C-alpha cells in the first residue's frame, strides 16, 4: 500500500512539473506589446519621420534568446514602418524589452490614412497600430519561430499632447497652414 501511495505521489508531482513547464512554454510564445514612446524626428509638407519605442513582454519565467526579428508596423491597414534586427540578444523571464522603430511616412503614398490620422489628431482621440511579422527565439536550446499578427496596440492616448501640439484649434490651423494643409 505504501508503494502505491508513493508511486501516486511521485506521479502527481511529475505531472505538476510537466504541466507547469508546459504552461510556461505557452507563455513564452505569447507576447504583449505596448508603445513606450513617440518622438517626431522630422516633419514637413511631404513626409514625417517618427521614432517609436515598442516594448515587448516575455510573460514566461524562461530566459529567451531572440535570434532576430522582422516586424512591420501598420496604421489603418497601411504599412508605416519596420523594425528589424539580426543581432541576437537575451531577454530575462517576466520582463519587457524594447524594439526601436523608425516610422517614415511619405504623405503622397499614405493618402488613405491621412484623413483618419488628422481627425484623430485634432479630436485628441487615441490612435492604434497593428504589428505583423516574425521573431526567431531560442528557449533552452529549443528553436522556435513566432509569427505575430497583433491588432489594436495603443500608439497613444493623445498624439497632439505627446508631440506638444495640443493647443487651441486656431494654433493648430496655423501649424497645419505652415505644412500647406488648409482646413
Amino acid at each position: 500500500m505504501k508503494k502505491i501511495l508513493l508511486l501516486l505521489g511521485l506521479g502527481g508531482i511529475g505531472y505538476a512539473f510537466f504541466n507547469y513547464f508546459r504552461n510556461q512554454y505557452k507563455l513564452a510564445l505569447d507576447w504583449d506589446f505596448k508603445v513606450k514612446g513617440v518622438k517626431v524626428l522630422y516633419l514637413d509638407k511631404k513626409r514625417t519621420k517618427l521614432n517609436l519605442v515598442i516594448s515587448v513582454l516575455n510573460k514566461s519565467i524562461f530566459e529567451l534568446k531572440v535570434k532576430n526579428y522582422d516586424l512591420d508596423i501598420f496604421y489603418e491597414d497601411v504599412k508605416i514602418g519596420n523594425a528589424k534586427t539580426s543581432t541576437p540578444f537575451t531577454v530575462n523571464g517576466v520582463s519587457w524589452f524594447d524594439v526601436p522603430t523608425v516610422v517614415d511616412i511619405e504623405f503622397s503614398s499614405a493618402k488613405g490614412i491621412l484623413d483618419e490620422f488628422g481627425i484623430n489628431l485634432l479630436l485628441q482621440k487615441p490612435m492604434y497600430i497593428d504589428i505583423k511579422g516574425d521573431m526567431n527565439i531560442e528557449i533552452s536550446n529549443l528553436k522556435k519561430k513566432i509569427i505575430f499578427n497583433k491588432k489594436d496596440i495603443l500608439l497613444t492616448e493623445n498624439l497632439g499632447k505627446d508631440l506638444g501640439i495640443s493647443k487651441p484649434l486656431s494654433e493648430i490651423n496655423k501649424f497645419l497652414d505652415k505644412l500647406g494643409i488648409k482646413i
Side-chain angles (χ1 to χ4, degrees):
M1 185 69 165
K2 286 183 182 181
K3 286 183 183 181
I4 293 173
L5 290 175
L6 179 65
L7 288 175
L8 285 175
L10 290 175
I13 291 170
Y15 178 75
F17 276 119
F18 168 77
N19 196 39
Y20 175 76
F21 284 105
R22 184 181 59 156
N23 287 335
Q24 287 299 315
Y25 183 75
K26 285 180 185 177
L27 286 173
L29 302 178
D30 183 26
W31 302 69
D32 279 346
F33 295 85
K34 71 178 178 181
V35 177
K36 195 172 172 181
V38 179
K39 180 180 174 187
V40 176
L41 300 174
Y42 180 80
L43 176 66
D44 68 8
K45 292 179 183 181
K46 296 182 180 181
R47 64 187 267 248
T48 187
K49 194 177 222 181
L50 303 173
N51 185 18
L52 300 179
V53 177
I54 298 173
S55 287
V56 183
L57 174 63
N58 171 16
K59 295 179 185 179
S60 78
I61 62 164
F62 296 137
E63 181 177 272
L64 308 173
K65 185 171 187 177
V66 176
K67 297 287 199 172
N68 58 43
Y69 59 81
D70 186 3
L71 304 173
D72 292 326
I73 315 302
F74 292 84
Y75 177 74
E76 297 293 323
D77 295 326
V78 175
K79 182 179 172 183
I80 60 171
N82 178 268
K84 188 178 208 175
T85 190
S86 58
T87 306
F89 59 94
T90 302
V91 179
N92 294 324
V94 191
S95 65
W96 292 89
F97 65 96
D98 292 341
V99 177
T101 307
V102 174
V103 175
D104 196 359
I105 304 171
E106 289 198 33
F107 297 141
S108 62
S109 64
K111 289 185 190 246
I113 65 169
L114 290 180
D115 290 341
E116 184 73 25
F117 182 81
I119 290 169
N120 285 343
L121 182 65
L122 288 173
L123 296 178
Q124 301 176 355
K125 286 185 164 182
M127 293 185 184
Y128 298 91
I129 58 172
D130 301 330
I131 297 179
K132 296 179 184 177
D134 57 70
M135 182 179 290
N136 290 304
I137 63 169
E138 190 175 302
I139 308 169
S140 300
N141 295 326
L142 296 172
K143 295 178 182 178
K144 182 73 175 166
K145 183 175 191 168
I146 300 174
I147 305 297
F148 294 111
N149 190 7
K150 300 286 185 175
K151 299 258 185 214
D152 297 329
I153 299 164
L154 182 66
L155 174 64
T156 178
E157 287 287 340
N158 181 350
L159 186 62
K161 184 177 179 184
D162 292 346
L163 300 178
I165 58 171
S166 183
K167 300 177 180 174
L169 192 56
S170 61
E171 290 186 39
I172 293 174
N173 281 337
K174 289 177 192 174
F175 173 78
L176 293 174
D177 282 342
K178 288 179 186 176
L179 296 175
I181 301 170
K182 303 287 182 195
I183 296 182

